[in-house]
Amino acid sequence: MSLLNLSFIVLLGILIFVLYFHFSNSFLDSYNRKSNGRFKFENSIRVVIFILPAFIVLFIFILYPVFETVRLSFYDKFGREFVGLYNYKWAIDDPEFRRSILNNLGWLLIVPTFSTFFGLVIANLADRIWWGSIAKSIIFMPMAISFVGAGVIWKFVYEYRGPENTQIGLLNAVIVSFGYEPQAWLTIPIWNNVFLMAIMIWIQTGLALVIFSAALRSIPKEMIEASRIDGASELKIFFSIIVPYLEQTILVIWTLITIIVLRIFDIIFAMTNGEWQTGVLANLMYDWMFRGGGDSGRGSVLAIVIMLGVIPILLWNLYKHKQEQNI
Amino acid sequence: MRQFSLTSILSQLLLLFFVIIWIIPTFGLFISSLRDKELLSISGWWTSLTTTEINEIHRMLGMEYQIQENNYYIIKGSIFEDNSGKKITSFGITSKKINEFSLGDIAIFKDNSEVTIDENGNYVWKSKTKFTKKKGKRLFTTSLSPPSFTFDNYKEVLFKEGIGRAFVNTLAVALPSTLIPLIICSFFAYALTWMKFFGRDTLLALIIASLVVPLQMSLIPILTIYNDFGAVFGVAAKSYPGVWMAHTGFGLASTTFLLRNFLKSLPNEMMEAAKVDGASHYDIFLKIILPLSIPAFASIFILQFLWCWNDLLVGLVFLDQVPSEIILTAKLKELLGSRGENWEILTTGAFVSMTVPLFIFFALQRYFIRGLVAGSVKG
């Protein structure tokens, strides 16, 4: 497709939606004016015009797929024959699946915890130092770049050359300068997961940091000043005042990062492609979508397992929403 | 307020430590993308920041360049290209003693020809007898090389490796994938906030539930729909409009949620007053809501745009991996597999893919942060 064609369809794609809203609404307005505002269905038609596109998209891309995925998980690889719990049984017996579950649990335990912790600590430090906002910018920056870009950055850090060569990867160069053997970090089972998680922590700390920074401003300055005058140490202030005060925020950030980590795919796909026992559910699912022509039954089971992880969070969100409505 | 207590110094050091750890990987990538590709594969990027000592072998010019002056046959030349910036500290004429002579020394070869060299690499090689060899003799030099950077890698990656086209493709994916949800969700959020209709609360609850549904749930069913659609209408199953709509679907819940939170905070009286004056909902939307929502739009635009720009999975599943459709992240992943040892291509490609996010980040950081914070406080 030539660049001219491409820019044309891009423009057209956007324009269609603008024109839809403009013409349908203008038409309704003029019709309503002609009938002197006595047109009874004006409001109902207006609602339909306003919500229809979004509703169709919501239905096709979220609601229908959720039910379809559940259905497909009980069918064979082509989605034609009912096979009952066969796909679920396969998953339980599959060593790759168990490995992925374990890895996912590791990710869920380690990444949100460390990101939240670092975010909180850095937000606190930066809040009190005159060059803090520059520091925050720098630590927040990885949030802007892609997981694949971050993957390349860190693959370069982890780069391994044989012991007889000059190391061009930073980590191995440091190790060698201390007199140790260089390591192919990404191929050491179990530990390589930690090296991959480090990338995610590097990215998500920025998210935690900016949210904590905003939340820190809500802590009354007098409270901290008073405890300082009473002789409390900075560490004591941090653990006895700031952490309890930000409990809600900590919970929110922890959940937010948990949701992101649960879907983690790009980093592993780009760095190891799930080899050397680094696979997680999303990668396994992607594999099964295309492996051997694709197996929609097994792929769907894996999608559902990922979904199960967010259901508690989903219910909690709905519960909170309901509470807000009642106020 | 600047304090110089012990805690203050300790916290500054600790923060500095974090900052250094966080910036170094990206910095290394950036420096590497600007380095000569030969040097990149044999030395760490950190060595290029300072003046380094390098040993090189050069061959002097041959017989056709000789001129005759007084009683000598002379060959003059330079071993460096112009403006290389290298400074010679010592040289040698055999591989065993590469540092034998210092600047200004006269080195004498076995055939009694003699050579001198200055620090910029200009040598004078003279002999009483005529030079008879086509190739000149070898010179071993030790020189100090100042940091030197080049844009060659960028030229190669953009035009030869297809990253330039992937950049355009990514833009063609990300722009509509950001604007379409923004358009349809602003009307949707308006209806959810200011219009009364049957099922509104249920719809809102659905949006809130959809916020956390992982997009993996949708991949297989939507791919099936696209395949069927393509087969029935005889069009490609994987196409740009398909990706736009997929991104629109996956961004719909969060965009609507953020916009609704914003709209809810606007004063109701304004709307009521306009309605009394006979304005329709569309008038109100265009003339009151739209101008007021620009900052909120900016935040949401940035979030969704970065999400689409940085996405890999959606682009991988819903686009063909051909030059006219492949997006930057998918291209990078492909290069990681096929050119894993060519760090000049990888580092430069990665940096090209980061230019737009980094630009947005530095230019519009305020809106970016505002969007993230707004999205998280209730999400």
Side-chain angles (χ1 to χ4, degrees), chain B residues 75-283:
Chain B
I75 294 179
K76 283 184 184 173
S78 176
I79 57 173
F80 296 142
E81 287 158 26
D82 289 342
N83 304 323
S84 73
K86 291 178 190 166
K87 296 271 183 258
I88 291 182
T89 52
S90 61
F91 70 106
I93 52 174
T94 61
S95 58
K96 283 186 189 137
K97 292 183 187 165
I98 58 169
N99 293 325
E100 197 178 353
F101 305 100
S102 46
L103 282 181
D105 286 355
I106 298 169
I108 301 168
F109 290 102
K110 276 185 195 150
D111 62 2
N112 284 327
S113 64
E114 47 192 59
V115 65
T116 57
I117 192 164
D118 72 1
E119 64 168 8
N120 294 323
N122 301 312
Y123 58 85
V124 179
W125 184 21
K126 30 186 201 176
S127 167
K128 285 193 171 156
T129 54
K130 207 172 174 187
F131 290 102
T132 54
K133 296 224 169 92
K134 268 200 174 150
K135 280 185 181 172
K137 287 191 183 293
R138 290 186 298 173
L139 271 185
F140 300 84
T141 60
T142 303
S143 53
L144 290 175
S145 172
S148 83
F149 300 105
T150 157
F151 281 107
D152 289 354
N153 297 335
Y154 283 89
K155 274 182 220 151
E156 180 175 348
V157 155
L158 282 178
F159 302 111
K160 281 195 204 136
E161 290 291 334
I163 292 272
R165 179 63 208 246
F167 189 95
V168 177
N169 295 344
T170 312
L171 205 61
V173 168
L175 267 182
S177 301
T178 309
L179 287 172
I180 294 172
L182 205 54
I183 295 167
I184 68 175
C185 291
S186 55
F187 283 94
F188 193 36
Y190 180 95
L192 287 174
T193 322
W194 302 112
M195 292 167 142
K196 289 200 174 67
F197 57 91
F198 173 75
R200 189 176 80 165
D201 293 337
T202 319
L203 209 50
L204 196 58
L206 267 178
I207 292 288
I208 293 187
S210 310
L211 275 176
V212 294
V213 174
L215 70 90
Q216 275 91 356
M217 282 298 271
S218 304
L219 291 180
I220 294 174
I222 294 178
L223 197 60
T224 318
I225 294 179
Y226 281 6
N227 283 334
D228 294 347
F229 184 86
V232 169
F233 292 95
V235 292
K238 299 184 174 188
S239 64
Y240 281 103
V243 177
W244 301 338
M245 293 325 288
H247 272 308
T248 304
F250 303 142
L252 186 105
S254 57
T255 308
T256 309
F257 182 74
L258 285 172
L259 275 171
R260 185 183 167 272
N261 278 348
F262 173 77
L263 291 182
K264 224 171 43 176
S265 70
L266 295 177
N268 200 2
E269 295 77 30
M270 225 162 21
M271 249 65 64
E272 294 300 329
K275 241 185 238 167
V276 170
D277 289 346
S280 74
H281 277 299
Y282 187 55
D283 294 329

